[in-house]
Amino acid sequence: KAGVTQTPRYLIKTRGQQVTLSCSPISGHRSVSWYQQTPGQGLQFLFEYFSETQRNKGNFPGRFSGRQFSNSRSEMNVSTLELGDSALYLCASSLGTEHQETQYFGPGTRLLVL
Amino acid sequence: DAKTTQPTSMDCAEGRAANLPCNHSTISGNEYVYWYRQIHSQGPQYIIHGLKNNETNEMASLIITEDRKSSTLILPHATLRDTAVYYCIVRVATGTASKLTFGTGTRLQVTL
């Protein structure tokens, strides 16, 4: 079974721009979670989507948003990019049902903001 | 979710068992212990999880103390490819609380 895939793998943007990252979960998984990893803050939870609805949200500003499509694929968007948004963005998928919440991570998208 | 404490770093000789400890003294009865590892800037890799019984899979064994306040991840025959940051996470596995709270983890260095 194919794993979680994320596109693009690398991205360079400038301050003020916006960016959209994509995540395709493992087949059959309905929950997709997004995380940000930086050297200073470590791995931090952004939000989780299940059946096209945001089910859980971390402590990030409104510039960070996401959505999920009917095929469970998910996108996250960051508007008005700041230098501090440079990070590895990770997507994880799980079945999303109670007692089946083991999350499997994709390889990540590395975003550099100049 | 309960907070975990792990050593910052550990060394292990290749071929020997690597025993990675984790303290989670405030764990609740409905919280599982999960272990992930992250190999240099790749996505975290799921290793194993358990509630109160010891668990074993093809990657590792998880030993949870009877009072559930600590656990040990065992890699039985460490190889150079096991060099990574290992994260111990406790989380509720019921309901819809899917968030994983990562700490700083243990950096395991496997050497020849």
Side-chain angles (χ1 to χ4, degrees):
Chain A
K1 189 183 274 191
V4 178
T5 57
Q6 293 186 244
T7 57
R9 293 293 310 279
Y10 303 92
L11 206 49
I12 300 175
K13 292 285 187 180
T14 56
R15 278 182 298 173
Q17 288 187 310
Q18 74 166 14
V19 67
T20 299
L21 311 181
S22 181
C23 171
S24 292
I26 292 170
S27 178
H29 285 194
R30 296 169 62 192
S31 168
V32 173
S33 298
W34 289 89
Y35 294 81
Q36 181 197 64
Q37 186 173 27
T38 60
Q41 299 297 319
L43 265 157
Q44 293 185 288
F45 173 78
L46 281 156
F47 33 65
E48 183 223 358
Y49 284 85
F50 177 79
S51 290
E52 302 177 66
T53 301
Q54 188 179 86
R55 190 165 71 169
N56 209 347
K57 188 177 187 304
N59 189 25
F60 278 80
R63 299 186 297 108
F64 292 83
S65 63
R67 60 177 176 168
Q68 187 179 34
F69 303 95
S70 58
N71 62 358
S72 295
R73 189 177 69 86
S74 176
E75 290 181 346
M76 70 161 280
N77 183 276
V78 188
S79 63
T80 319
L81 283 166
E82 301 176 359
L83 295 179
D85 296 333
S86 294
L88 180 67
Y89 289 89
L90 293 155
C91 159
S93 77
S94 69
L95 283 168
T97 58
E98 200 164 308
H99 303 293
Q100 296 289 342
E101 289 285 0
T102 298
Q103 295 184 22
Y104 298 89
F105 285 80
T109 294
R110 186 164 295 282
L111 172 65
L112 177 62
V113 181
L114 301 175
Chain B
D1 292 343
K3 183 180 169 64
T4 62
T5 304
Q6 299 177 251
T8 302
S9 63
M10 294 181 64
D11 292 330
C12 179
E14 190 177 35
R16 305 295 294 268
N19 298 293
L20 292 92
C22 179
N23 281 317
H24 31 79
S25 57
T26 59
I27 192 169
S28 300
N30 63 346
E31 289 183 311
Y32 284 66
V33 179
Y34 278 77
W35 283 85
Y36 283 80
R37 72 181 182 183
Q38 188 173 28
I39 298 171
H40 189 56
S41 293
Q42 298 178 21
Q45 178 187 24
Y46 166 76
I47 301 173
I48 198 166
H49 75 281
L51 184 63
K52 53 185 176 182
N53 298 319
N54 298 337
E55 302 287 345
T56 295
N57 62 20
E58 65 279 3
M59 288 183 68
S61 295
L62 174 61
I63 308 298
I64 303 174
T65 58
E66 194 168 340
D67 63 7
R68 302 208 325 119
K69 293 185 177 181
S70 66
S71 60
T72 301
L73 178 74
I74 301 172
L75 307 177
H77 305 287
T79 71
L80 296 177
R81 285 180 290 186
D82 292 321
T83 293
V85 178
Y86 287 78
Y87 296 99
C88 168
I89 300 163
V90 292
R91 60 174 294 267
V92 174
T94 58
T96 58
S98 298
K99 180 177 77 170
L100 292 176
T101 302
F102 287 81
T104 53
T106 295
R107 184 171 298 277
L108 175 68
Q109 180 70 50
V110 180
T111 57
L112 290 171

